[in-house]
Amino acid sequence: MRAVTRAMLADMPDPSDLHLERSGGRCLVMVGSAVLAEYAGSDTVMRNFAVMVVRRAGFSGKRVAEVFGLSAAYVSTLHAAAAREGSAALVKHAGPGRPPEVGAEDLERARAWRAAGVSDREIGRRLGVAGTTGARQLGPRDQAGEPQAPLSGQREVAAPGGPLLSEEEARAASGGGDAAARAGQDPAPGPGAGPEAGAAAEPGPAREPASPSPSDADAPAAGSGAAGCGGGGLVPAAGGRIAEGRVWSRYAGAMLLYAFAAQAGAGDVLAAAARGRGGGARMLAAVSSCFGLGAATTEQFKHLAAAEAGPLAGLAVLPDLRTLRPRLAAIADRTDPLAIQQMFAAAMLAADPVTSGVYYVDDHFVPYTGARPVAKGWNNKRGRAERGRADTHVTAHDGRAVCFVSGEPSGLAVTLPKALAELKKSVPARTRIMLGFDRGGAYPQVFRHCRENQVHWVTWRRAPLAIPAMLPVLTTITAGGRRREITWAEEKVQLKDYGEARQITLFEHGRPAMQILTSDFDACPAEILAWLKSRWREENFLKYASQNYGIDKICDYAAEITVNTKITANPARKAATARVREAEKDLAAAERALAGLLADPSISPAAKNTKLIPAANRKIAAARKNVKAAIEARTKIPAKLPASQIDPEAKVAVLRAGRRGLQMVLRLLAHNAEHWLAGHLNAYLRDDDEYRAITRETIIRGLTGTITFTPATITVDLETPGTPRVTRALALLIDEINHTPPAIPGDQRPITYQLTPPASI
């Protein structure tokens, strides 16, 4: 024992008499009757300092852990971190940790509540601790004459009057004692937990239970089916839907996404995808909301607080990945994602038509990093060929996503007809359609396909630019409230393999800068220019939807290995072309040799005429014969063949995109909902530069609030934004939405929104 410890413990009966006393919210660390440290029970940092004081005074880590109620592994970790980093480590390791044990008096009250049928989670809420803490000390429910909760698993059980739920969801809905753990609270290790368990989640001071709000105090006591969450008891109904209750959520701003979803008929579409099951529709709505919150993949859902994300779709808890993934896969496998997206697009365009009739089409390459032999395509982002797949997206003139098709990488000239077919299924009958695309689709076969389908098109002319036949005209146009002078020339041109088209040439500094080709001969040139300039909305959609909603994620690596029948370059033709080039080189060399012979003055004319010139002519004739033979041989070899004919072992992996397609529909729903909110918010905000970012980051992903469920309505109280101009615009937008209240898919209760002042600090 150290000298300082011996001096401190002089005349003590037992130098190892280390103990901890609690009184009036204060903790005293004592050795016998001497006080070594004193701190508030809620001050975890000072507790850590006290742990280090007694640990360095010579007491063993096991004894210190026993006195402070910590695990030996945690004390060892804290001691090593303090030696390595100093006092900063004591602050860093001062997390909330595991709450203390329930006192004897509170334990008796908890037993009485449990006998009355109150759930373990509600008991924990009343005591100011986690439900698992009280449940652990009370013991299994069968000891109190009640059925014991089943062990957590992934079997599906039938909920009364609802769809199949996982056992985990069923327990969360029925108020099982460990529901809090799945809602984002890690259960503390029990008395028999080893050092490893203690190192993962360490005990800390108990937090004083918050005083209940008036609505909480007036609410009836929850029964065995209640699950307390966020300061209010949530009473689940059949199928896992929240019947009534009140919950605080950091994600409450995402509830505004339902304003667009209601207009787009999301309730009917998601119910159709879930085959009429309200629980399935709510689960799909929850997935779309999570995408709206910025989770790029379902794997990232685990970073969201399940007890706060679930109520966004009327669920007590967001299902975990082991439950969510199989259910999503089951829905995707029994539905057609293309049919689902057509239903969404048709409802959206019927509610808010594209008055200009202009739609933009472009390809989006999605790289693949798995081990399957997936076909290659050109990745413009990295400037090289990579394995992957290509999505062709169609967006409306105002930037809304309408539909998409997915397949192996190919050019826009190949995928554009497929995208047009999907678009025609979505737009109302006899709707005028103008397709805008970049130079990737500027080919005669694409123009002919559009003409055959009675669809107009507009694009840039591929280089080199044609010489305009008409004189330029100087015109003043008004765009975005600003007057601008442009110089252009308009004429009719003949396109090879297509026919007559309209060409508009723009001039800059007196020279042609670009040329526009279109099949519309009646529209104003300035209007056509505006349409093609707006095609950058398609580029912006591909960029920001990829960043914010993960539209370039694979989502499912399942693939089928099939024979590769893709038409590819024939290596035999390449070798034949090389032989033709060699023969042509020999012919050119023979002709140069004859020319040099004729010009050489050192050789006598007799030698030239009798021997050298006839020999050179014979050599040239033989070279020409070889060239002709090589060309004829090359002609018989096809330039391209199916890969399986070139190599019988050629295989290709075809990714099954059904599951990804369903997620894409939910991602595009979230994107369009943000687009709708941003457009309507900007009508009041008037900030063309930042309105999209403000809507997404400040409102949808940044506003907290309280969601109140009643049997008849759902009310969302959103915290007021910190910026007055945003607050004013949002208040006006909420008034607009409340005129036609939306509803959660699978739930008929109307949602009303209101702003509340920020909580005082």
Side-chain angles (χ1 to χ4, degrees):
M1 183 180 299
R2 297 179 182 178
V4 64
T5 305
R6 287 197 299 268
M8 185 187 308
L9 302 180
D11 300 327
M12 293 294 294
D14 186 359
S16 63
D17 185 19
L18 176 67
H19 58 281
L20 183 67
E21 299 292 339
R22 292 184 174 90
S23 176
R26 307 290 295 181
C27 295
L28 287 81
V29 182
M30 305 181 66
V31 178
S33 60
V35 178
L36 297 186
E38 180 185 2
Y39 58 90
S42 59
D43 194 339
T44 313
V45 177
M46 289 301 298
R47 182 208 64 184
N48 288 350
F49 274 97
V51 168
M52 287 300 96
V53 168
V54 297
R55 180 68 180 85
R56 294 185 177 182
F59 292 99
S60 67
K62 183 177 180 180
R63 176 60 181 160
V64 173
E66 180 183 349
V67 170
F68 283 86
L70 306 173
S71 70
Y74 179 75
V75 173
S76 176
T77 301
L78 189 65
H79 183 260
R84 184 174 58 253
E85 304 175 24
S87 60
L90 304 180
V91 178
K92 184 171 63 176
H93 287 75
R98 184 182 71 191
E101 302 297 328
V102 179
E105 182 179 350
D106 290 338
L107 197 59
E108 291 300 324
R109 296 168 57 198
R111 289 195 180 98
W113 287 334
R114 175 181 272 192
V118 180
S119 69
D120 290 338
R121 189 162 188 177
E122 175 63 16
I123 292 173
R125 188 187 71 82
R126 296 182 184 182
L127 296 178
V129 299
T132 53
T133 301
R136 184 178 65 252
Q137 292 189 259
L138 290 172
R141 279 187 171 265
D142 58 353
Q143 295 179 8
E146 301 175 0
Q148 185 175 7
L151 296 177
S152 62
Q154 292 304 316
R155 298 193 310 272
E156 289 188 334
V157 296
L164 289 179
L165 299 175
S166 71
E167 194 167 279
E168 186 175 21
E169 288 178 281
R171 293 187 65 195
S174 63
D178 62 346
R182 290 187 302 275
Q185 300 176 3
D186 296 332
E196 292 80 3
E202 272 312 305
R207 294 185 177 181
E208 294 294 332
S211 58
S213 63
S215 59
D216 294 332
D218 297 339
S224 60
C229 180
L234 297 182
V235 181
R241 180 178 65 90
I242 300 176
E244 56 182 316
R246 182 169 176 267
V247 59
W248 178 88
S249 175
R250 73 193 73 180
Y251 314 124
M255 292 289 288
L256 290 167
L257 296 173
Y258 292 121
F260 170 81
Q263 289 195 357
D268 297 335
V269 176
L270 296 183
R275 295 192 173 182
R277 295 179 175 178
R282 288 190 292 275
M283 186 199 67
L284 294 177
V287 173
S288 183
S289 297
C290 291
F291 287 141
L293 290 172
T297 62
T298 54
E299 179 70 20
Q300 295 182 8
F301 288 6
K302 65 185 180 183
H303 300 302
L304 301 175
E308 298 177 25
L312 298 181
L315 303 174
V317 178
L318 180 70
D320 66 5
L321 294 181
R322 292 177 296 176
T323 301
L324 185 65
R325 283 171 171 163
R327 296 184 65 187
L328 277 177
I331 293 176
D333 291 342
R334 67 172 178 255
T335 58
D336 182 6
L338 288 179
I340 298 300
Q341 74 156 348
Q342 290 166 15
M343 295 174 63
F344 267 128
M348 177 184 68
L349 297 178
D352 188 7
V354 180
T355 56
S356 66
V358 179
Y359 300 86
Y360 305 113
V361 188
D362 204 356
D363 274 343
H364 180 64
F365 182 80
V366 182
Y368 172 84
T369 57
R372 304 281 187 174
V374 175
K376 284 190 174 184
W378 188 257
N379 188 350
N380 288 327
K381 296 179 181 177
R382 306 188 69 179
R384 66 185 186 187
E386 292 182 343
R387 292 183 300 166
R389 65 185 309 109
D391 292 337
T392 302
H393 289 270
V394 179
T395 58
H397 184 206
D398 55 9
R400 289 176 292 169
V402 178
C403 60
F404 71 95
V405 293
S406 184
E408 292 189 4
S410 56
L412 184 60
V414 176
T415 59
L416 189 145
K418 302 176 184 177
L420 176 58
E422 296 301 321
L423 175 62
K424 295 193 70 175
K425 297 176 184 177
S426 304
V427 300
R430 296 183 297 277
T431 298
R432 175 184 180 275
I433 297 178
M434 163 76 81
L435 280 187
F437 43 87
D438 60 10
R439 296 177 179 88
Y443 290 95
Q445 63 266 34
V446 176
F447 302 154
R448 291 196 305 269
H449 183 82
C450 292
R451 183 171 58 190
E452 293 167 359
N453 287 271
Q454 290 79 47
V455 171
H456 283 305
W457 53 268
V458 60
T459 185
W460 309 103
R461 188 183 187 108
R462 299 178 65 85
L465 300 182
I467 300 176
M470 303 298 293
L471 294 175
V473 176
L474 182 63
T475 306
T476 301
I477 64 173
T478 302
R482 299 173 57 185
R483 296 173 62 85
R484 181 183 177 186
E485 291 186 350
I486 62 172
T487 304
W488 55 273
E490 179 183 358
E491 59 187 317
K492 295 180 180 180
V493 296
Q494 289 291 326
L495 300 181
K496 183 181 179 182
D497 299 329
Y498 172 74
E500 190 175 60
R502 183 181 184 184
Q503 176 177 285
I504 300 174
T505 305
L506 293 181
F507 291 83
E508 289 185 1
H509 307 293
R511 305 179 65 178
M514 64 186 68
Q515 288 179 332
I516 299 172
L517 295 175
T518 181
S519 61
D520 191 338
F521 291 90
D522 301 324
C524 172
E527 191 174 24
I528 293 177
L529 290 174
W531 289 342
L532 201 52
K533 181 180 179 181
S534 298
R535 199 200 67 81
W536 284 103
R537 292 171 183 168
E538 171 86 9
E539 303 291 345
N540 290 334
F541 160 75
L542 295 177
K543 176 182 178 181
Y544 293 109
S546 176
Q547 291 180 359
N548 300 312
Y549 299 100
I551 64 169
D552 56 351
K553 302 300 181 182
I554 290 289
C555 304
D556 184 19
Y557 283 82
E560 297 178 356
I561 307 298
T562 61
V563 177
N564 188 1
T565 59
K566 183 177 181 180
I567 303 299
T568 185
N570 188 357
R573 177 69 177 233
K574 183 177 180 180
T577 301
R579 288 192 292 270
V580 170
R581 286 198 297 267
E582 291 297 327
E584 290 175 345
K585 289 180 181 179
D586 293 341
L587 174 59
E591 291 175 343
R592 287 196 300 270
L594 176 59
L597 173 64
L598 296 176
D600 190 351
S602 61
I603 303 175
S604 63
K608 292 179 181 180
N609 294 333
T610 57
K611 295 181 179 180
L612 300 180
I613 293 178
N617 287 332
R618 288 193 298 270
K619 189 174 182 180
I620 291 174
R624 287 175 178 169
K625 184 177 180 180
N626 291 340
V627 170
K628 183 178 180 180
I631 293 176
E632 291 177 352
R634 183 182 63 179
T635 305
K636 298 177 182 179
I637 301 175
K640 293 184 178 181
L641 285 174
S644 57
Q645 293 187 21
I646 299 173
D647 180 9
E649 301 297 326
K651 302 292 182 181
V652 66
V654 179
L655 294 174
R656 293 182 295 184
R659 298 179 182 180
R660 178 174 178 267
L662 177 63
Q663 292 193 27
M664 282 289 293
V665 171
L666 301 178
R667 296 173 195 274
L668 296 183
L669 173 61
H671 171 273
N672 286 346
E674 179 215 309
H675 183 276
W676 185 91
L677 280 175
H680 285 248
L681 179 72
N682 199 41
Y684 311 112
L685 187 61
R686 298 297 182 184
D687 187 348
D688 293 337
D689 295 328
E690 299 294 336
Y691 74 101
R692 291 294 295 269
I694 291 173
T695 303
R696 180 173 59 253
E697 304 298 338
T698 303
I699 297 177
I700 297 176
R701 303 178 183 177
L703 286 187
T704 64
T706 303
I707 308 172
T708 304
F709 297 88
T710 67
T713 62
I714 300 175
T715 304
V716 181
D717 296 313
L718 297 174
E719 185 178 3
T720 302
T723 307
R725 66 188 185 98
V726 177
T727 301
R728 174 185 172 277
L730 181 58
L732 294 173
L733 175 60
I734 286 177
D735 289 340
E736 177 185 341
I737 296 174
N738 287 338
H739 281 295
T740 54
I744 297 174
D747 195 327
Q748 301 300 322
R749 291 174 291 183
I751 305 173
T752 56
Y753 306 88
Q754 58 189 23
L755 291 179
T756 59
S760 59
I761 300 177

